[in-house]
């Protein structure tokens, strides 16, 4: 799964080199962990279960966002709008909500 996600994140970022692969893998791990927590599923769930496409898209978007704003600012794709960063989080959470385990 990690190799597939790494390739998808790099495609999303239009990144052709592999110099930042270790950094991207950390961002992917953080994004998957966030997804599992948000969806109320066990930590490590996606290491043994298939990830739904909506969750995969959220992970790709979130890892890309972490990479693009790694200096703590809203750089990269988000430089033209201060609200764009918040919109990324809104979209990610909406995608993750589709596969959420709604426990009571």
């Amino acid at each position: 799964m990690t190799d597939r996600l790494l390739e998808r994140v790099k495609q999303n970022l239009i990144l052709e080199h592999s110099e930042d692969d270790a950094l991207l893998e950390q961002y992917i791990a953080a994004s998957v962990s966030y997804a599992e927590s948000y969806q109320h599923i066990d930590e490590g769930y996606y290491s043994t279960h298939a990830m739904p496409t909506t969750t995969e898209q959220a992970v790709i978007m979130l890892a890309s966002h972490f990479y693009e704003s790694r200096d703590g600012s809203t750089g990269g794709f988000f430089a033209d709008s201060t609200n764009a960063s918040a919109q990324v989080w809104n979209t990610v959470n909406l995608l993750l909500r589709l596969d959420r385990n709604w426990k009571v």
Side-chain angles (χ1 to χ4, degrees):
M1 175 187 65
T2 304
D3 291 339
R4 173 181 162 73
L5 283 173
L6 177 60
E7 289 308 311
R8 298 281 316 274
V9 169
K10 288 173 74 170
Q11 287 173 350
N12 191 59
L13 291 167
I14 314 169
L15 195 61
E16 296 179 358
H17 63 78
S18 52
E19 294 173 18
D20 290 338
D21 283 6
L23 180 62
L24 288 171
E25 287 170 355
Q26 290 175 356
Y27 293 147
I28 291 167
S31 300
V32 171
S33 179
Y34 178 79
E36 290 168 340
S37 176
Y38 188 91
Q39 293 176 335
H40 302 146
I41 56 179
D42 293 333
E43 183 179 341
Y45 179 86
Y46 287 126
S47 63
T48 59
H49 295 80
M51 184 180 288
T53 56
T54 49
T55 297
E56 183 176 290
Q57 183 60 40
V59 167
I60 291 165
M61 290 177 68
L62 191 53
S64 297
H65 173 65
F66 288 157
Y67 182 81
E68 285 292 320
S69 352
R70 62 190 175 276
D71 64 352
S73 69
T74 54
F77 293 120
F78 311 110
D80 61 343
S81 172
T82 57
N83 293 327
S85 181
Q87 188 57 43
V88 169
W89 282 98
N90 290 338
T91 303
V92 164
N93 289 337
L94 286 171
L95 287 167
L96 292 176
R97 216 172 280 144
L98 294 171
D99 300 309
R100 191 173 195 175
N101 185 356
W102 294 92
K103 295 180 183 177
V104 179

